[in-house]
Amino acid sequence: MPLNRRAQQPTGHLPARSAGETGAAPTPARRDRTVVISSVASDAHTWNLVFLQLLIEELGYTVVNLGPCVPDDVLIDACRKIAPDLVVISSVNGHGWQDGLRLIKAFRAQESLAGTPVVIGGKLGTAGLESAARTAELAEAGFDAVFRDGAQEMESFRDFAAALAVRAVT
């Protein structure tokens, strides 16, 4: 189960939906909400970013897709200019843990971005499913949520993004 840094609990423990909402599609965000998506600097995969862009646009966000192999400083500069409501980092090559730690430390060091929600997900290690300790390490380093590879994690991500939109609107 993904870890939610702010609540220090699995993200599956987001505010519950009302009885009539169980299984319902998340409420779309207002279109003026922006999400930046990117891979880690060492990851050249693009299909994951296209999938995430389509998924996040379905939730009603405007998406800025920075693409693969984005250096940390380029991502940080783009986020300073865009001031996104959420940053999503995706890893397919298995270097998400290593690259993610470096990235989030540099990101959180920027005063103007300190409060920006940032999540990471995908294949976070080269050995397959990563340990709970590594997932917790990413959250402790500054990621608001960590989503490991898998279909259940995608549902948790959808719920996270939808809950973020609802909190921002209310």
Side-chain angles (χ1 to χ4, degrees):
M1 181 157 301
L3 186 69
N4 180 333
R5 175 177 69 91
R6 291 192 178 173
Q8 290 299 309
Q9 62 185 357
T11 58
H13 296 182
L14 291 172
R17 296 176 177 156
S18 67
E21 292 182 75
T22 304
T27 305
R30 296 185 336 230
R31 276 286 173 193
D32 60 345
R33 310 282 302 161
T34 302
V35 175
V36 169
I37 62 174
S38 176
S39 69
V40 291
S42 67
D43 198 327
H45 293 89
T46 58
W47 61 265
N48 53 317
L49 299 174
V50 172
F51 174 82
L52 282 169
Q53 180 172 346
L54 294 172
L55 174 73
I56 295 166
E57 285 174 342
E58 269 184 20
L59 293 173
Y61 289 95
T62 298
V63 175
V64 176
N65 185 342
L66 297 179
C69 295
V70 177
D72 299 352
D73 59 333
V74 172
L75 173 71
I76 290 167
D77 287 344
C79 289
R80 272 199 223 109
K81 291 174 187 165
I82 297 166
D85 299 289
L86 174 64
V87 177
V88 178
I89 307 298
S90 179
S91 175
V92 175
N93 70 353
H95 296 280
W97 173 75
Q98 180 180 1
D99 289 352
L101 284 175
R102 184 192 64 247
L103 168 64
I104 198 63
K105 288 175 184 174
F107 194 95
R108 292 294 180 217
Q110 306 302 309
E111 188 176 328
S112 63
L113 299 173
T116 303
V118 183
V119 301
I120 189 168
K123 189 172 180 192
L124 302 175
T126 57
L129 287 179
E130 290 306 299
S131 70
R134 281 201 170 172
T135 300
E137 187 176 358
L138 286 164
E140 289 166 9
F143 282 102
D144 292 282
V146 177
F147 301 94
R148 292 185 277 186
D149 202 16
Q152 182 178 358
E153 299 291 315
M154 285 308 301
E155 278 304 308
S156 294
F157 171 75
R158 279 180 70 101
D159 290 345
F160 179 90
L164 185 67
V166 169
R167 285 193 302 267
V169 173
T170 57

